[in-house]
Amino acid sequence: MSLLHLRFFFSMAFAAGSPFILSSLSHAQPDVGLAKPAIVTPEKTSVAGAAPPPTEEVKTIPGMPPVLNPKNIYSETSGPEKLSPIVAHDLKRVYVPNLRGNSVSVIDQASFKVVDSFKVGRSPQHVVPSWDLRHLWVTNNAEGRADGSLTPIDPVTGRPGPSLPVDDPYNMYFTPDGKFAITVAEAHRRLDFREPLSMALIGSVSTPECSGVNHAGFSGDGRYAIFTCEFGGYLVKVDTVNRKVLGYLKLSKGGMPQDIQTAPDGHRFYVADMMADGVFIVNGDRFEETGFIPTGVGTHGEYISRNSKLLYVANRGSHKIHGPKNGPGSVSVIDLATDKVIKNWPIPGGGSPDMGNVSADGRYLWLSGRFDDVVYAIDTQTGAVRKIPVGLEPHGLTVWPQPGRYSLGHTGILR
């Protein structure tokens, strides 16, 4: 075991209050959720109307850190003052996976310059912070081929460690209790639940009606997650405790859902759809569509502001998976109190804003320019854009460190 892996092991095994439990392959559970479920909406869990008002206490799943503010599940990610002591010595960097370059570009947040670059596995898609904040994982899915892998990055040094072989890790999430990593095997329509250190497979949930299973948002109590189905126009709801599919929901129009973000109330979800050019609103508890917000061409990525009042939406500027350079890309800003677009920032000269995150102080929204081989640093006060050249086809970058107690994965969904 390398020094990097040992460091991760001890931080996970002995962190105060950590629910992390090392699992053995000899105790692996059988695959679950392999039966093909009907395409139906699950039984309603609340009366008709808006999402249920938050109670005084959110009853979370066992092992999940408590929700300290039921009206705002992101209350512990509000700014630099909420940075965990665990990340105190981590470099302030932006890690950019270059999909066609098979590399990661590293940008210094202060100078806005690339200060490092290193090779990883084939087709790196996202850089994913681990549940305990001690690791960044590059998901190299090899576009569904057999040589997929995960490359760990030490956030103190900014350098990679030895990769682990993993089948088709297009994206990766962590259950809210920290017990499992979930690698999203997009090409196989499958969610693989893994031990989050060794990445040993524990069990899988098949999502046969979810073509292009992709991004996820978790409920406020951690009991379920909703995944987008990029190539089928569906959403799939998954029980995170019992590890099974609860049902599918067909969106009313568009048909190419991308990123999904949980609203601060923990019940509603915002779903970006690249063909619908906007954001669907979904009541997660009832699992039904309740609204739609037009944004821009090729709606793709979504990020909550540090004060939890705004949703930044990246419009990629094209309906194509491999679009043109200098397209009509933009960023829309949605007021979460009204679900209205209050600002729209076009990329000067055209561009393709894709995925990323918000800086710890909320000052900059960092996004990859997918078709333009650049990264955008967008001033969240003025909409002014800096462009930083990186490798070929940058995708799911992460900004590090970020405030919060734990990570649910993707490009940094912290709570």
Side-chain angles (χ1 to χ4, degrees), residues 180-196:
F180 298 107
I182 306 173
T183 51
V184 181
E186 181 186 55
H188 305 308
R189 304 189 189 193
R190 193 182 70 219
L191 303 173
D192 291 336
F193 284 70
R194 298 178 177 274
E195 192 279 321

Side-chain angles (χ1 to χ4, degrees), residues 64-402:
M64 175 180 165
V67 176
L68 301 183
N69 181 352
K71 296 182 179 180
N72 180 15
I73 60 175
Y74 303 109
S75 64
E76 302 312 296
T77 69
S78 57
E81 72 283 357
K82 296 289 188 177
L83 285 167
S84 168
I86 295 173
V87 303
H89 301 291
D90 291 356
L91 297 173
K92 295 181 180 179
R93 299 288 187 261
V94 177
Y95 297 91
V96 187
N98 301 305
L99 177 60
R100 287 191 295 117
N102 297 331
S103 65
V104 170
S105 298
V106 184
I107 300 172
D108 175 60
Q109 294 186 45
S111 67
F112 299 92
K113 294 181 179 180
V114 174
V115 295
D116 196 7
S117 179
F118 48 82
K119 288 293 184 178
V120 289
R122 183 185 295 182
S123 305
Q125 301 282 359
H126 302 90
V127 178
V128 179
S130 65
W131 186 90
D132 71 340
L133 314 181
R134 288 313 325 126
H135 228 48
L136 305 175
W137 293 97
V138 186
T139 63
N140 313 300
N141 83 318
E143 297 183 337
R145 300 183 185 92
D147 56 341
S149 63
L150 294 172
T151 302
I153 299 174
D154 183 343
V156 174
T157 65
R159 297 297 299 169
S163 296
L164 299 175
V166 171
D167 186 18
D168 189 23
Y170 173 80
N171 208 340
M172 186 161 70
Y173 292 86
F174 295 89
T175 53
D177 57 8
K179 187 176 181 180
F180 298 107
I182 306 173
T183 51
V184 181
E186 181 186 55
H188 305 308
R189 304 189 189 193
R190 193 182 70 219
L191 303 173
D192 291 336
F193 284 70
R194 298 178 177 274
E195 192 279 321
L197 170 62
S198 68
M199 293 298 163
L201 182 64
I202 304 300
S204 295
V205 174
S206 178
T207 59
E209 301 303 325
C210 190
S211 177
V213 60
N214 206 309
H215 301 90
F218 291 78
S219 62
D221 60 10
R223 297 186 184 280
Y224 66 84
I226 297 175
F227 286 79
T228 58
C229 309
E230 180 175 5
F231 304 121
Y234 284 96
L235 306 177
V236 59
K237 186 174 180 179
V238 176
D239 183 328
T240 57
V241 177
N242 299 301
R243 288 183 279 150
K244 65 180 182 180
V245 169
L246 297 174
Y248 295 87
L249 173 65
K250 177 69 172 177
L251 296 173
S252 62
K253 58 181 178 179
M256 204 169 188
Q258 305 290 315
D259 203 7
I260 178 171
Q261 280 285 1
T262 313
D265 66 10
H267 299 280
R268 296 190 306 156
F269 294 76
Y270 293 90
V271 183
D273 193 296
M274 199 166 83
M275 291 298 182
D277 296 336
V279 174
F280 290 99
I281 305 172
V282 171
N283 183 303
D285 297 348
R286 297 199 308 271
F287 204 31
E288 64 182 30
E289 181 184 321
T290 61
F292 180 77
I293 308 168
T295 56
V297 178
T299 310
H300 195 81
E302 300 175 322
Y303 307 95
I304 302 284
S305 65
R306 288 290 163 224
N307 62 10
S308 303
K309 294 181 179 180
L310 305 173
L311 180 68
Y312 301 116
V313 180
N315 306 303
R316 203 158 68 173
S318 176
H319 297 143
K320 297 180 179 179
I321 294 176
H322 301 288
K325 292 181 180 293
N326 304 317
S330 66
V331 172
S332 299
V333 184
I334 295 175
D335 182 343
L336 293 178
T338 63
D339 288 337
K340 303 292 185 183
V341 175
I342 58 173
K343 296 178 184 177
N344 192 277
W345 299 322
I347 302 298
S352 50
D354 191 287
M355 310 223 77
N357 219 314
V358 181
S359 60
D361 60 6
R363 176 69 187 277
Y364 288 98
L365 171 65
W366 293 84
L367 296 171
S368 58
R370 180 76 174 268
F371 309 137
D372 296 87
D373 301 334
V374 298
V375 163
Y376 308 115
I378 302 172
D379 189 310
T380 57
Q381 297 299 311
T382 66
V385 180
R386 293 174 181 251
K387 297 183 181 181
I388 306 162
V390 289
L392 297 176
E393 199 172 342
H395 192 195
L397 68 81
T398 198
V399 182
W400 199 254
Q402 293 180 36

